Amino acid sequence: MLRSNCCISIRPCTAKQPSFHRLQHSISSSLSSGRITLHGGDGSVSSSRVRDLVFVVNPQGANGRTAKEWKKLLPYLRSRLGEDCNIKESLTSGPSHAIDITREAIRDGADAVIAVGGDGTLHEVVNGFFWEGKPVSNLNGEASHSAALGLIPLGTGSDFARTFGWKNDPCEAVERIAKGVRSRVDVGVIDHEGSDLHYFINVADVHLSAKAGFYASKYKKFGSLCYVIGALQAFMGHHNRDMRIKVNGGEWEIYPQVTALCVGNAKYFGGGMKITPNAVPGNGNLEVVVLQDFKWYDFILKLHKLYNGTHLSVNNVSSTSVQSIEIEEVSESGSIYVQSDGEHLGFLPRKFQVLPGAIDMIS
């Protein structure tokens, strides 16, 4: 059972929220019954029904800690959301399984799909909201009904949650789900000729940081230390590369000696590094931060700035707000890593663009 000091002393998250699009209706929940009532702008009641909630749990997350925390949380979650609330737990069995679970849940008319785990689980759930370049819709044909995205952050990094000031506190997350307030958030999409579209909600990145993330994924058993180990391994044999970049469909420009390039829909990656500090996941833009001609000692000397988000004032660091950006390596070696939300996607070239207000999120 969940410890009483966790379940009884619940405080709503008071951290300052970033600005993003609010829906024109609110969702009030009867916690004793698990029913929701939609109120229009004039206060009128439009419908009342039982909520169908699907919780996608990665039992292997955080070296198995996610599964343990979920088992502790489940009895409290059921009591908090109400006996009449339809709660379904779906445990993932391997890579991409969360994508399939999410698509099936949305097609079956789920009110919300909640990712339980870290950024990797959230990443897959977000991708499950889309199919063949379009949003997945429920098979009942209810145009007014759309599934919301929820999050109980229990992973190693949980970087996306940091943008909203959310802690790795499952009870606070249940409070958000109980209240059911929805907000529109943007989603990034990555395009590569000959491949399916890929979606991200946090940060996508290129070259050194993406390579570090690739190696870090092999050391998750060390917790947050995996990011340090991954970075050290990525530095071995690293060379800055010249890149061609096109912003918002404009002209190609050469960016010499690129060390890393990050495309942020949200602010944090790599276990708390505030890499794209001006990103807001609801303003219709992506923030692009480019680090050029960095040496290994630059990271050591400026690491604190990267973590607190003050690195934009450093020499050889630039930032811009975009709706789309295309990136190619000048030498076309095919060896420049690309990742999104900590998931390895392959190598350049790639096109990144934003889908404004693409998903309703429980916030």
Side-chain angles (χ1 to χ4, degrees):
M1 294 182 64
L2 195 65
R3 293 193 300 271
S4 60
N5 61 348
C6 173
C7 295
I8 295 176
S9 179
I10 300 296
R11 294 183 177 86
C13 183
T14 58
K16 184 178 181 181
Q17 301 279 339
S19 60
F20 45 125
H21 309 295
R22 294 284 180 183
L23 293 183
Q24 295 304 307
H25 62 261
S26 63
I27 304 177
S28 62
S29 305
S30 172
L31 298 177
S32 61
S33 67
R35 297 179 182 274
I36 61 174
T37 304
L38 300 183
H39 297 272
D42 58 356
S44 61
V45 177
S46 58
S47 66
S48 180
R49 57 187 176 78
V50 175
R51 287 188 293 172
D52 293 320
L53 307 178
V54 178
F55 292 81
V56 183
V57 186
N58 174 15
Q60 303 302 320
N63 299 316
R65 181 174 60 84
T66 298
K68 295 177 183 178
E69 294 296 324
W70 172 248
K71 289 180 181 179
K72 293 178 183 178
L73 179 66
L74 192 54
Y76 170 67
L77 183 146
R78 292 187 185 280
S79 65
R80 181 69 177 90
L81 297 180
E83 294 180 358
D84 294 334
C85 189
N86 295 326
I87 296 174
K88 178 183 177 182
E89 60 172 322
S90 295
L91 305 182
T92 62
S93 59
S96 300
H97 190 199
I99 298 176
D100 297 331
I101 293 172
T102 301
R103 285 175 180 158
E104 181 179 359
I106 295 173
R107 287 167 178 157
D108 288 344
D111 288 277
V113 182
I114 294 99
V116 182
D119 294 310
T121 303
L122 176 63
H123 176 79
E124 288 199 4
V125 170
V126 167
N127 274 269
F129 273 74
F130 302 91
W131 171 253
E132 294 185 342
K134 297 179 180 179
V136 175
S137 58
N138 71 77
L139 298 180
N140 297 324
E142 300 177 45
S144 61
H145 175 69
S146 63
L149 170 68
L151 174 63
I152 298 180
L154 290 176
T156 302
S158 296
D159 280 311
F160 180 74
R162 297 175 196 267
T163 293
F164 297 88
W166 297 342
K167 303 174 184 177
N168 271 20
D169 184 332
C171 292
E172 286 190 4
V174 172
E175 282 297 301
R176 289 192 295 272
I177 295 166
K179 292 176 181 177
V181 176
R182 293 184 177 199
S183 303
R184 286 282 188 180
V185 296
D186 304 335
V187 172
V189 59
I190 304 172
D191 191 4
H192 176 50
E193 187 176 354
S195 302
D196 294 334
L197 296 176
H198 200 91
Y199 301 87
F200 68 98
I201 197 167
N202 193 43
V203 177
D205 52 310
V206 172
H207 205 17
L208 179 63
S209 55
K211 189 176 181 181
F214 174 77
Y215 288 125
S217 66
K218 301 177 182 299
Y219 301 102
K220 287 294 182 70
K221 64 182 179 181
F222 296 109
S224 296
L225 189 60
C226 70
Y227 299 109
V228 177
I229 299 173
L232 292 174
Q233 191 168 352
F235 266 118
M236 299 174 61
H238 169 77
H239 298 284
N240 298 326
R241 299 291 181 89
D242 297 340
M243 296 186 188
R244 279 190 295 266
I245 294 177
K246 180 192 291 187
V247 172
N248 297 336
E251 299 295 325
W252 287 101
E253 296 184 32
I254 301 295
Y255 279 63
Q257 295 298 291
V258 173
T259 306
L261 185 152
C262 301
V263 183
N265 185 50
K267 300 179 187 296
Y268 297 87
F269 83 154
M273 190 177 296
K274 199 173 184 179
I275 191 66
T276 46
N278 295 324
V280 178
N283 66 355
N285 296 302
L286 300 169
E287 184 186 12
V288 176
V289 172
V290 185
L291 280 63
Q292 293 173 264
D293 201 24
F294 266 50
K295 309 297 189 296
W296 66 269
Y297 50 81
D298 288 315
F299 281 94
I300 295 176
L301 295 173
K302 299 163 185 174
L303 188 62
H304 66 288
K305 290 182 176 290
L306 291 168
Y307 271 93
N308 62 31
T310 59
H311 56 288
L312 299 187
S313 61
V314 172
N315 289 337
N316 297 332
V317 177
S318 59
S319 173
T320 187
S321 181
V322 308
Q323 286 79 52
S324 70
I325 182 170
E326 298 175 58
I327 309 168
E328 300 177 351
E329 184 195 3
V330 171
S331 66
E332 299 182 353
S333 69
S335 62
I336 304 300
Y337 283 69
V338 178
Q339 73 168 3
S340 66
D341 298 346
E343 303 298 311
H344 177 64
L345 299 185
F347 307 91
L348 286 182
R350 288 292 192 278
K351 179 179 181 179
F352 305 80
Q353 53 189 333
V354 66
L355 300 177
I359 290 180
D360 289 340
M361 185 159 193
I362 298 174
S363 57

